[in-house]
Amino acid sequence: MEELIPGYLWIFPLADREANVGLAMRSDKISERKYNLKHNLQRILAENPAFKDRFAQAELVDDIRGFGLPMGSKKRKLSGERYMLVGDAGHLIDPLTGEDIGNAIFSGVIAADQAIACVQAQDFSARFMRGYDRRIRRVMGRELQLGYVFQRMMFYPRLIRFLMKRVYNNRFVMDFLQDIYADSQKNWVKQVKRPLFWWKVFWGGGKREAGPEW
Ligand SMILES: Cc1cc2nc3c(=O)[nH]c(=O)nc-3n(C[C@H](O)[C@H](O)[C@H](O)COP(=O)(O)OP(=O)(O)OC[C@H]3O[C@@H](n4cnc5c(N)ncnc54)[C@H](O)[C@@H]3O)c2cc1C
């Protein structure tokens, strides 16, 4: 749905034939377009051919509520004297997917390690705490950076459609993206600068194994 770009509509099935349904969009675009998320969520579900039959008998069982998602689009300072910011407080949400449960838990683990190191060294200074920032950047920096690149690419729907076709049918690209997200592709920035990478994207890379159709 182009009106939601760069955002999305989600439907999470719940128990007892209920579902959590919502819209997400970047806050600067909401203000720029004067886009009313609550109103448009109801309009889309009632009118869009992809949803209207599915939601024809649906009943609203709760208030529609809004939440802000602090995205990790920029590099931010995550600690200082006697404090560390974890999860949403540290803006660690993936800018593409809006997800952060994993990063919130992981940053908590890293913060606990740092806290142990601080107690052992009896050093709670901003300088010593920087070890936390460095580790977060090492573990999550690439993923957040890539998420932001993809999020900005969403402004170009034609490019996205073209790339999705390539990605979907190209085993090399699928594996490459999966490795970045799984953190096992350490030097992806270097790789994408190589002509061979782009040759594999457009002309090679092997076929994807047959899977479910979207
Ligand atoms: C609608 C929606 C859908 C989402 N869907 C997904 C998803 O599908 N996948 C995903 O990975 N992420 C999703 N997220 C993001 C995810 O929920 C958050 O990124 C994640 O919960 C962050 O964890 P957190 O521990 O940092 O913060 P929170 O989960 O917000 O926890 C912070 C806690 O601190 C408490 N608190 C606040 N102030 C105080 C205070 N002064 N004193 C004591 N306690 C306080 C709050 O009550 C809360 O319990 C979604 C978010 C929203 C809003």
Side-chain angles (χ1 to χ4, degrees), residues 163 165-181 185 187-188 190-209:
L163 289 176
K165 270 193 188 163
R166 288 279 157 198
V167 169
Y168 189 54
N169 289 314
N170 187 317
R171 193 192 166 94
F172 166 75
V173 184
M174 284 287 238
D175 289 347
F176 184 78
L177 290 174
Q178 205 171 304
D179 285 350
I180 292 175
Y181 270 89
Q185 179 57 262
N187 55 357
W188 66 271
K190 270 192 203 155
Q191 289 241 31
V192 299
K193 288 179 183 163
R194 291 187 184 138
L196 181 63
F197 174 86
W198 292 105
W199 188 89
K200 284 184 179 170
V201 171
F202 290 107
W203 294 287
K207 279 253 176 244
R208 182 186 64 86
E209 280 162 30

Side-chain angles (χ1 to χ4, degrees), residues 8-111:
Y8 54 85
L9 185 150
W10 75 82
I11 303 173
F12 294 155
L14 301 173
D16 302 327
R17 295 177 57 81
E18 291 190 354
N20 178 318
V21 185
L23 285 185
M25 194 187 278
R26 243 172 58 177
S27 54
D28 57 330
K29 297 293 156 196
I30 293 175
S31 321
E32 208 175 274
R33 297 173 193 170
K34 300 195 183 352
Y35 195 88
N36 183 322
L37 285 174
K38 289 184 187 179
H39 165 79
N40 285 306
L41 173 63
Q42 288 175 299
R43 177 185 57 77
I44 291 169
L45 296 180
E47 293 174 7
N48 188 294
F51 305 108
K52 67 175 186 184
D53 291 343
R54 208 166 156 190
F55 283 85
Q57 308 297 323
E59 192 189 323
L60 189 63
V61 293
D62 201 353
D63 294 335
I64 302 179
R65 277 168 286 169
F67 299 89
L69 297 178
M71 304 282 184
S73 317
K74 282 189 225 162
K75 196 172 161 187
R76 291 182 168 83
K77 198 166 170 291
L78 297 173
S79 66
E81 188 165 343
R82 293 183 175 271
Y83 76 82
M84 289 174 272
L85 300 174
V86 299
D88 281 8
H91 284 70
L92 296 178
I93 293 193
D94 185 315
L96 179 67
T97 61
E99 292 178 345
D100 182 35
I101 295 172
N103 282 354
I105 293 170
F106 209 171
S107 61
V109 172
I110 296 173

